Amino acid sequence: MRLFIAILLSDDMKDSLLEAQNRLYDRGVRGRFTAEENMHLTLAFIGEVPSAEPALDALAAVSFSPFELGLEGMGRFGDLWWAGLRDSAPLAALVRRLRRALTENGVPFDKKRFSPHITLLRRARGEMPGVPVMDASMTVERVSLMRSDRGKNGMIYTEIGACEARPAE
Ligand code: ATP
Ligand code: MG
């Protein structure tokens, strides 16, 4: 199975991202736009593993307090265009802890430097117009272990485990 760890987004956040996609479309941008139900923030990409158990154990070992996540700007990795996130120390700390727990549980993952982004579209054609991503924010209270399957009409992501934030003291 193909696994990754992600933050699933609030409806508010997804609405804002959908609006940004619509503005891009209205400006003539074409490509494979991420479906609203698939929008997420990847924290660690695990890839193909024979079992989810070690990843579930790693997730269970991570603790964090709720924190705010806010959208900020747009960028691109080649023809993959994304919405960015406001700099967040709690987010960076969570990813550090998560990656440590994965390593301690022998779970392989992509060790590239964490570069927080939410994919808006792939195979984008054209220059990126200066369209703003509206302000939206959410409180992160849950981190999800996701399974990724190839469906008939694109990827299907399914949550197979989660770690809840500790209530703030
Ligand atoms: P597709 O690969 O068909 O374009 P996808 O990228 O949405 O679809 P996956 O490849 O299963 O689906 O990826 C799941 C998540 O992990 C996505 O957020 C993706 O951007 C991210 N991801 C995939 N591969 C890597 C990688 N090597 N390093 C970091 N993140 C990755
Ligand atoms: Mg991929």
Side-chain angles (χ1 to χ4, degrees):
M1 59 186 94
R2 185 180 176 91
L3 303 181
F4 63 103
I5 294 176
I7 292 171
L8 302 184
L9 307 176
S10 69
D11 288 343
D12 254 19
M13 200 94 143
K14 287 190 281 195
D15 282 349
S16 181
L17 294 164
L18 198 58
E19 215 172 300
Q21 288 179 324
N22 287 335
R23 288 189 195 193
L24 289 173
Y25 191 87
D26 291 344
R27 299 285 289 271
V29 173
R30 296 294 180 269
R32 276 207 295 141
F33 285 86
T34 306
E36 190 172 8
E37 69 270 18
N38 277 358
M39 291 173 175
H40 64 272
L41 171 61
T42 298
L43 302 183
F45 179 73
I46 296 169
E48 283 295 331
V49 286
S51 155
E53 282 315 313
L56 288 166
D57 291 344
L59 199 54
V62 171
S63 85
F64 68 101
S65 298
F67 63 94
E68 286 301 302
L69 198 62
L71 295 178
E72 187 175 85
M74 213 184 266
R76 62 195 298 172
F77 301 142
D79 64 1
L80 184 157
W81 295 9
W82 44 261
L85 293 147
R86 226 167 275 142
D87 269 337
S88 163
L91 175 64
L94 170 60
V95 169
R96 266 200 310 277
R97 274 183 224 144
L98 189 60
R99 291 180 173 209
R100 194 179 313 129
L102 289 171
T103 301
E104 283 168 4
N105 284 274
V107 182
F109 62 94
D110 190 297
K111 303 215 169 45
K112 272 196 303 281
R113 208 175 84 85
F114 177 56
S115 153
H117 66 278
I118 299 168
T119 301
L120 291 170
L121 75 156
R122 294 157 192 275
R123 295 202 223 129
R125 296 191 294 281
E127 277 312 298
M128 186 179 285
V131 303
V133 179
M134 286 63 51
D135 258 332
S137 61
M138 63 177 274
T139 306
V140 178
E141 290 177 302
R142 185 184 176 85
V143 172
S144 304
L145 177 63
M146 307 296 293
R147 201 182 70 213
S148 173
D149 296 293
R150 193 165 295 282
K152 274 213 178 77
N153 302 302
M155 301 308 276
I156 298 167
Y157 303 139
T158 313
E159 185 184 73
I160 58 170
C163 166
E164 303 283 345
R166 302 274 152 91
E169 274 143 43

